[in-house]
Amino acid sequence: DAGVTQSPTHLIKTRGQQVTLRCSPKSGHDTVSWYQQALGQGPQFIFQYYEEEERQRGNFPDRFSGHQFPNYSSELNVNALLLGDSALYLCASSRESRVDYGYTFGSGTRLTVV
Amino acid sequence: GQSLEQPSEVTAVEGAIVQINCTYQTSGFYGLSWYQQHDGGAPTFLSYNALDGLEETGRFSSFLSRSDSYGYLLLQELQMKDSASYFCAWPSWDNQGGKLIFGQGTELSVKP
């Protein structure tokens, strides 16, 4: 049973460019959340998608946007990239939008902005 | 505000026992989770405490005291493969959905 799959694994972009990251949730999961993890820090919540809608959003600018597709997969888009956007971007899936226990995380996309 | 505090680094020897503490300030507390992350890979769920007390899962145990806003992760019979970062996290939920609030993480180094 495949877990959470993210692509690409690594990405290098130039400041000002746009990037799209992709996530396929674990089989049976319908909710996808995105997190940003800077080096040496804990993951920071970006937003969550459930039933193809953004249900909750963290403290991130509008440059960060997303989408969830009918098959529950999701994309994270970041526009006008800044050097400070360099981080590991993690996707987490769960069965329902409310989860009091374990989320399943992917291995992430390492984004470097130069 | 909402915050979770944990030590940045802990070092222990193989076979020993180590405790990683987590203190928190949150509202609408639903419990405390623990995650393990190796070298910037996928965080892996370890345990969840909804109520006060000790939860045991093999070599790992987790404890919660709501009255003290405090929890810890206890790792016994340490192995080299336990070297990783450990995060306490607060599962937050409202009618807009759920999210995890993570601490800064504790890097555990297990020495031979």
Side-chain angles (χ1 to χ4, degrees):
Chain A
D1 180 25
V4 176
T5 304
Q6 293 188 243
S7 63
T9 55
H10 294 82
L11 201 54
I12 299 175
K13 287 287 188 178
T14 303
R15 189 173 46 184
Q17 286 188 315
Q18 178 265 342
V19 68
T20 298
L21 310 181
R22 295 176 175 82
C23 172
S24 293
K26 181 178 178 179
S27 178
H29 286 185
D30 58 6
T31 302
V32 172
S33 304
W34 288 91
Y35 291 80
Q36 180 195 66
Q37 186 177 23
L39 199 62
Q41 304 294 315
Q44 299 290 315
F45 175 77
I46 302 175
F47 43 51
Q48 181 182 83
Y49 278 85
Y50 174 66
E51 293 186 336
E52 302 180 48
E53 291 187 359
E54 183 182 294
R55 292 295 301 272
Q56 188 164 170
R57 188 179 185 92
N59 188 25
F60 280 80
D62 291 344
R63 298 186 298 109
F64 289 77
S65 63
H67 189 77
Q68 185 179 35
F69 299 93
N71 66 353
Y72 308 121
S73 67
S74 177
E75 289 181 348
L76 165 65
N77 300 290
V78 187
N79 295 321
L81 284 167
L82 304 174
L83 297 179
D85 295 331
S86 295
L88 179 68
Y89 288 85
L90 295 163
C91 172
S93 73
S94 55
R95 187 172 179 181
E96 297 176 1
S97 61
R98 170 179 180 166
V99 177
D100 293 338
Y101 43 89
Y103 291 76
T104 302
F105 282 83
S107 296
T109 294
R110 175 73 62 186
L111 173 65
T112 302
V113 182
V114 297
Chain B
Q2 303 161 356
S3 66
L4 298 97
E5 300 291 331
Q6 49 182 133
S8 58
E9 296 179 346
V10 172
T11 301
V13 297
E14 205 171 6
I17 298 173
V18 71
Q19 178 174 312
I20 299 174
N21 299 321
C22 176
T23 58
Y24 60 86
Q25 290 185 330
T26 65
S27 58
F29 187 74
Y30 294 101
L32 195 67
S33 296
W34 289 91
Y35 285 79
Q36 178 192 61
Q37 186 180 37
H38 283 99
D39 294 331
T44 303
F45 172 74
L46 292 177
S47 68
Y48 169 68
N49 292 72
L51 303 173
D52 286 3
L54 191 68
E55 294 282 343
E56 297 181 74
T57 308
R59 295 188 297 114
F60 293 2
S61 302
S62 57
F63 172 83
L64 176 65
S65 169
R66 290 171 173 263
S67 59
D68 296 322
S69 297
Y70 164 75
Y72 66 72
L73 180 69
L74 190 73
L75 296 83
Q76 303 182 72
E77 302 173 13
L78 280 173
Q79 302 175 9
M80 298 297 290
K81 68 178 182 179
D82 296 329
S83 292
S85 292
Y86 293 84
F87 296 89
C88 57
W90 169 57
S92 166
W93 184 88
D94 57 28
N95 60 4
Q96 298 301 313
K99 63 184 178 184
L100 286 169
I101 307 295
F102 283 88
Q104 295 286 74
T106 298
E107 185 174 352
L108 171 63
S109 296
V110 180
K111 307 294 185 184

